[in-house]
Amino acid sequence: MPEIIKDFLPRSLKNQRPGNPMTPKYITVHNTANSSKGADAEMHSRYLHNGAGGRVVGWHLTVDDKEIYQHLPTDENGWHAGDGNGDGNMSSIGIEICENSDGDFDKAVKNAQWLVKKLMKEHNISINNVVPHKHWSGKNCPRLMLGNWDEFIEGIKGASGTVDAPSQQVGSETVTNGSVVDYLNSIDKDASFSNRAKLAKQYGIKGYKGTADQNLELLNKLKKGKPLSKPSKSIKVGSKVYLSKGAKKYATGENIPSSIKGKTYTVQQVKGNKVLLKEIYSWVYKSDVGGSSKSTASSKPKSFKPGQKVTVKKSASKFATGESIADFVKGNSYKVKQVKSDRVLLDGIMSWVRKSDVY
Ligand SMILES: [Zn+2]
């Protein structure tokens, strides 16, 4: 089973994360239409995190032959179906399947079938509501799958869709996005619609249909009454913390992508041994963050200034945008044209390189 890496877009990226509450009724399948080498799920995650080149676009999950990146919680809408405020954008979970030429497309499709089956179960969505992008807007998408769509649907029915729980059991207060499904998954509980309906009944929620309101009510009831342990390190709400490069997993059990590590974030909430980081809206362990700039200075990104000359390390392999760095660039010196949090724009090649890849 592929791993689902939750790498939610910050709410500040309105064009990618519009944030309207959604009760998913459909699942919409896309192809990325990007056959470039390296155009895998991680690259598309970076693309969205970087503002999608100024486009108004956002979807929930990207699947490649190895892993799955989740960009949006499934109880918020995205912009991917091309039908304005229709059901495609407002009531469907958007899945992009990668077609990078250095990936195994058949495997990516299999992973997508597994994912669709899991989502159908979690959100009580019928197979008839699993649709191609074309269904909403007429666009030729997913372009590699429209010719054998029935086969794709048949494969979903057969996919071994066991819902895998996160590897780490964490405290009951660990909720990353207000979704009851994610919450149940995070405490190793069955998050299927039928089990949620059962829980809803136990907690006195009548006529449970899985609407956003009911899910929120259920979530709050499930969370109530759980004792909170005392903070072990004193980290205050509003303070800036540095997420260690050595951090491995979110407090919810998913792997932390490397693009997230080694940066400074604002603490939005503190609970027990965990802190909620505002910009990435994710819970991490206190042991993985440094509370003050002093204690973390050694691992902070170096400071660069525009106009300064830097040399690209011979060991550098990829640009900050994901493409491979050509050999002739390595070991060469360039003038810094612009500086952003973790990267510098190099004059001459007009490319973004990670600060850690230059000196
Ligand atoms: Zn599409």
Side-chain angles (χ1 to χ4, degrees):
M1 280 172 290
E3 186 186 5
I4 300 179
I5 300 166
K6 280 189 188 154
D7 190 8
F8 289 161
L9 298 163
R11 287 169 193 276
S12 55
L13 278 179
K14 285 276 172 232
N15 286 343
Q16 279 65 54
R17 184 172 177 175
N20 300 299
M22 173 175 95
T23 303
K25 296 191 191 77
Y26 300 87
I27 295 169
T28 303
V29 177
H30 305 262
N31 280 150
T32 58
N34 184 350
S35 57
S36 307
K37 277 187 185 172
D40 57 8
E42 192 198 351
M43 195 227 82
H44 282 88
S45 174
R46 276 201 304 272
Y47 169 75
L48 289 172
H49 273 274
N50 287 334
R55 292 172 63 213
V56 179
V57 67
W59 59 93
H60 296 85
L61 299 120
T62 305
V63 184
D64 66 21
D65 55 340
K66 306 176 296 288
E67 57 197 8
I68 299 170
Y69 268 76
Q70 183 171 0
H71 322 294
L72 298 174
T74 51
D75 55 4
E76 289 181 22
N77 80 307
W79 299 131
H80 56 89
D83 68 339
N85 287 331
D87 274 342
N89 278 331
M90 304 310 283
S91 305
S92 88
I93 298 172
I95 297 177
E96 287 279 357
I97 302 175
C98 293
E99 47 179 279
N100 45 311
S101 59
D102 55 346
D104 178 345
F105 182 69
D106 289 342
K107 185 78 208 304
V109 169
K110 281 213 170 64
N111 287 345
Q113 286 168 323
W114 170 84
L115 174 66
V116 169
K117 186 162 183 174
K118 174 173 150 71
L119 292 169
M120 283 169 57
K121 192 178 168 207
E122 284 174 2
H123 299 283
N124 200 28
I125 295 171
S126 90
I127 191 81
N128 298 325
N129 284 4
V130 178
V131 297
H133 179 182
K134 186 177 182 171
H135 172 83
W136 303 113
S137 69
K139 187 180 173 182
N140 181 32
C141 179
R143 62 178 188 171
L144 302 177
M145 295 158 67
L146 288 173
N148 42 12
W149 183 253
D150 292 346
E151 209 177 292
F152 176 71
I153 293 294
E154 280 307 310
I156 293 169
K157 293 176 189 166
S160 48
T162 357
V163 178
D164 57 336
S167 53
Q168 226 169 330
Q169 182 159 0
V170 289
S172 56
E173 64 276 20
T174 307
V175 180
T176 52
N177 62 0
S179 151
V180 71
V181 170
D182 289 329
Y183 172 72
L184 286 168
N185 278 331
S186 78
I187 56 169
D188 259 348
K189 291 276 185 318
D190 180 4
S192 68
F193 177 80
S194 56
N195 192 51
R196 277 182 284 136
K198 210 189 287 172
L199 288 168
K201 210 174 173 188
Q202 284 170 16
Y203 282 85
I205 300 169
K206 282 180 190 142
Y208 181 79
K209 287 195 188 72
T211 66
D213 283 353
Q214 287 174 329
N215 280 336
L216 190 63
E217 192 184 349
L218 178 59
L219 177 66
N220 287 330
K221 292 200 166 167
L222 287 170
K223 277 161 61 188
K224 246 188 193 163
K226 301 280 181 182
L228 303 177
S229 51
K230 272 196 174 170
S232 49
K233 235 194 234 180
S234 77
I235 295 177
K236 288 203 181 80
V237 172
S239 67
K240 299 267 183 198
V241 293
Y242 178 79
L243 181 57
S244 158
K245 286 207 172 131
K248 289 205 168 57
K249 297 202 173 212
Y250 287 116
T252 39
E254 299 87 10
N255 287 340
I256 304 179
S258 49
S259 58
I260 298 292
K261 299 175 199 173
K263 290 185 194 164
T264 303
Y265 300 99
T266 315
V267 174
Q268 189 168 36
Q269 229 177 307
V270 182
K271 272 180 186 174
N273 61 342
K274 298 174 273 282
V275 291
L276 178 65
L277 301 183
K278 189 179 167 199
E279 290 81 0
I280 52 173
Y281 210 67
S282 298
W283 288 95
V284 299
Y285 290 111
K286 277 185 180 172
S287 52
D288 285 335
V289 296
S292 78
S293 55
K294 247 183 193 169
S295 63
T296 56
S298 58
S299 46
K300 268 198 168 174
K302 288 163 281 183
S303 68
F304 292 98
K305 287 200 181 78
Q308 179 184 353
K309 265 216 161 177
V310 296
T311 305
V312 179
K313 286 184 189 170
K314 291 237 164 80
S315 60
S317 68
K318 291 195 173 189
F319 287 114
T321 41
E323 298 86 11
S324 293
I325 300 180
D327 281 338
F328 73 87
V329 170
K330 298 175 193 172
N332 253 344
S333 296
Y334 300 95
K335 217 186 236 179
V336 173
K337 204 172 157 70
Q338 215 183 315
V339 182
K340 274 191 188 172
S341 58
D342 68 330
R343 57 195 63 180
V344 289
L345 180 65
L346 301 184
D347 208 0
I349 51 172
M350 282 310 281
S351 298
W352 288 98
V353 178
R354 285 182 211 285
K355 285 180 180 173
S356 53
D357 283 336
V358 296
Y359 61 91

